[in-house]
């Protein structure tokens, strides 16, 4: 399995979520949303791998995808 930005993002989210489970503060999102996020990230990663064969291009497109989604989430959070 090749390492891609979406795999790295998924690993970081899982580590963050597991570390937050033991904290006394309220969790940012539920188990259902975590499973949905994992499924979406995996499906998008598989889609990119099937459509694009060049690993360098996959990296650029997935980093762009992560940035666009992050910017949209910040805009939605602000409004």
């Amino acid at each position: 399995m090749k390492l891609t930005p979406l795999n790295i993002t998924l690993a970081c989210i899982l580590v963050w979520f597991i570390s937050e489970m033991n904290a006394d503060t309220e969790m940012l999102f539920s188990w259902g949303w975590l499973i949905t996020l994992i499924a979406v990230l995996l499906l998008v990663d598989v889609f990119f791998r099937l459509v694009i064969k060049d690993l360098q291009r996959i990296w650029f497109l997935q980093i762009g995808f992560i940035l666009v989604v992050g910017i949209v989430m910040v805009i939605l959070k602000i409004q």
Side-chain angles (χ1 to χ4, degrees):
M1 183 172 209
K2 296 175 184 160
L3 190 62
T4 60
L6 288 177
N7 291 342
I8 296 168
T9 302
L10 182 59
C12 291
I13 288 171
L14 289 175
V15 167
W16 170 74
F17 189 80
I18 291 170
S19 69
E20 289 292 317
M21 284 179 13
N22 296 332
D24 294 334
T25 60
E26 183 179 336
M27 293 171 52
L28 188 59
F29 48 87
S30 67
W31 281 99
W33 283 113
L34 177 67
I35 293 171
T36 303
L37 179 61
I38 290 170
V40 167
L41 286 176
L42 288 174
L43 289 173
V44 170
D45 187 46
V46 169
F47 172 76
F48 275 119
R49 288 175 190 258
L50 290 175
V51 172
I52 302 162
K53 300 299 181 194
D54 182 27
L55 187 60
Q56 183 179 7
R57 192 160 181 232
I58 288 175
W59 269 80
F60 286 127
L61 290 175
Q62 285 189 1
I63 289 172
F65 175 78
I66 293 169
L67 288 174
V68 168
V69 169
I71 290 169
V72 168
M73 293 304 295
V74 168
I75 290 171
L76 290 175
K77 187 82 171 173
I78 289 174
Q79 291 181 355

